[in-house]
Amino acid sequence: MKFVDLYDLFVFDLDGTLARTREDLAESVNHALEHLGQPRRALAEVTRFIGNGARLLLERALGPKASEPLLAEGLRIFLEHYEEHCLDRTKLYPGVLEVTAALAGAGKTLTVLTNKPTSMSLKILRGLGVADRFVRIDGGDSYTRKKPDPMGLQEHMAACAIPPGRTLMIG
């Protein structure tokens, strides 16, 4: 039995799994920081901040002493910039086209579950030409709780009628 035969549902994360998005994320973080009169952050530093959604990304970039109004303004600026520039440097990782095609060709169900807002996730996946490979694409605004909370994953399994033992989360 092949490894792939063990699963029917493959749930992918987006950032750092399907696509290299860190440069565009970092540029949008730095755009927001500059707009707020804060120092820029290095790519490696911003990369460490990625995960758990945009608000936490900005919290980490601004530091623990950032006020709520500063954070809210930074998040607004970041999201506006990222919406326009989320495909400037973002690329699929090598092998993503081949792996997703092979899985779909083998009759597997593919979905995306990310903490990135749904509209931006769709824009990125459409722009990279792979959105149609996924039967469901949900972002951090799709549920009341973000990953790593299991709510979204449980919803994907229920919607696809595939049990946990036949599901693999990738990312």
Side-chain angles (χ1 to χ4, degrees):
M1 175 180 280
K2 294 184 214 172
F3 174 77
V4 74
D5 294 334
L6 297 173
Y7 305 101
D8 296 313
L9 174 60
F10 291 78
V11 182
F12 290 87
D13 188 17
L14 176 53
D15 297 305
T17 301
L18 293 172
R20 190 190 74 227
T21 59
R22 66 187 182 148
E23 284 104 355
D24 288 332
L25 286 166
E27 188 54 40
S28 292
V29 164
N30 281 319
H31 174 80
L33 291 174
E34 287 177 343
H35 203 64
L36 297 171
Q38 304 293 314
R40 289 180 63 89
R41 299 287 195 145
L43 175 60
E45 198 173 14
V46 175
T47 300
R48 287 192 305 273
F49 299 155
I50 297 170
N52 306 108
R55 180 179 172 83
L56 202 51
L57 174 61
L58 262 291
E59 280 181 25
R60 291 169 177 158
L62 285 167
K65 295 182 181 179
S67 67
E68 182 57 37
L70 185 69
L71 176 59
E73 180 66 3
L75 183 59
R76 183 190 66 73
I77 295 165
F78 166 80
L79 289 172
E80 285 177 4
H81 188 271
Y82 191 64
E83 181 76 38
E84 289 184 35
H85 299 278
C86 64
L87 283 165
D88 288 357
R89 295 170 205 81
T90 291
K91 304 277 186 251
L92 289 176
Y93 281 112
V96 167
L97 289 174
E98 296 81 3
V99 168
T100 55
L103 290 171
K108 304 302 178 176
T109 301
L110 310 179
T111 67
V112 172
L113 179 61
T114 177
N115 284 333
K116 183 183 296 303
T118 303
S119 65
M120 290 181 203
S121 302
L122 288 167
K123 181 176 182 175
I124 289 169
L125 292 168
R126 286 177 182 144
L128 297 175
V130 294
D132 61 342
R133 295 184 184 201
F134 303 98
V135 299
R136 185 177 188 131
I137 298 168
D138 287 336
D141 52 354
S142 298
Y143 304 101
T144 57
R145 297 185 304 265
K146 293 182 186 332
K147 294 183 306 144
D149 188 281
M151 175 187 275
L153 180 59
Q154 291 166 343
E155 174 58 30
H156 279 229
M157 290 184 291
C160 296
I162 298 175
R166 300 289 301 171
T167 300
L168 182 65
M169 176 79 194
I170 303 163

